[in-house]
Structures are given as C-alpha cells and as structure tokens.
Amino acid sequence: MTAQVDTRRLTVVAGKVEEWRKRLIDLSYRNTLLYFRDTKTATLDLSQAETVALAALE
C-alpha cells in the first residue's frame, strides 16, 4: 500500500516550516519563542498535569 501525499498539504507544511524558521531567526523582543512572558490570561500551567494526559498531547 502506497500513501499518496497531497501537494496542497505539502505546500502548507513547507510554508509553516519557513514561517517558524523566520520567527526563530528574529532575535528581537517581538519573538515570543525566545522572550516568553508568563501572564495570567495567556499562559497555561501544565506543571501539575498528570503524566498520562501530557503524553496524550504528543
């Protein structure tokens, strides 16, 4: 059985990879991947989550 890959999906994935790469290269304070701010409304604390539940997220 051979899996056929949808070219539209490949295009979307390639675009996202490029977007992530550019965001990682951006060293300014706008880059939330490098300069994380812990806020009450935009942060989800998973430190007390059960291991099984966290594994299900992968």
Side-chain angles (χ1 to χ4, degrees):
M1 177 190 294
T2 343
Q4 293 182 337
V5 179
D6 184 9
T7 56
R8 289 174 291 161
R9 179 176 244 173
L10 285 177
T11 303
V12 170
V13 169
K16 284 296 179 184
V17 167
E18 186 61 28
E19 178 185 330
W20 295 333
R21 184 176 292 136
K22 285 179 182 178
R23 286 179 66 193
L24 283 172
I25 292 173
D26 178 12
L27 299 177
S28 70
Y29 282 101
R30 295 177 309 174
N31 186 342
T32 57
L33 296 173
L34 293 176
Y35 299 99
F36 176 75
R37 290 186 330 189
D38 188 12
T39 64
K40 291 181 182 178
T41 58
T43 304
L44 179 60
D45 182 10
L46 297 175
S47 63
Q48 302 298 318
E50 295 195 19
T51 309
V52 176
L54 289 175
L57 295 175
E58 291 183 21

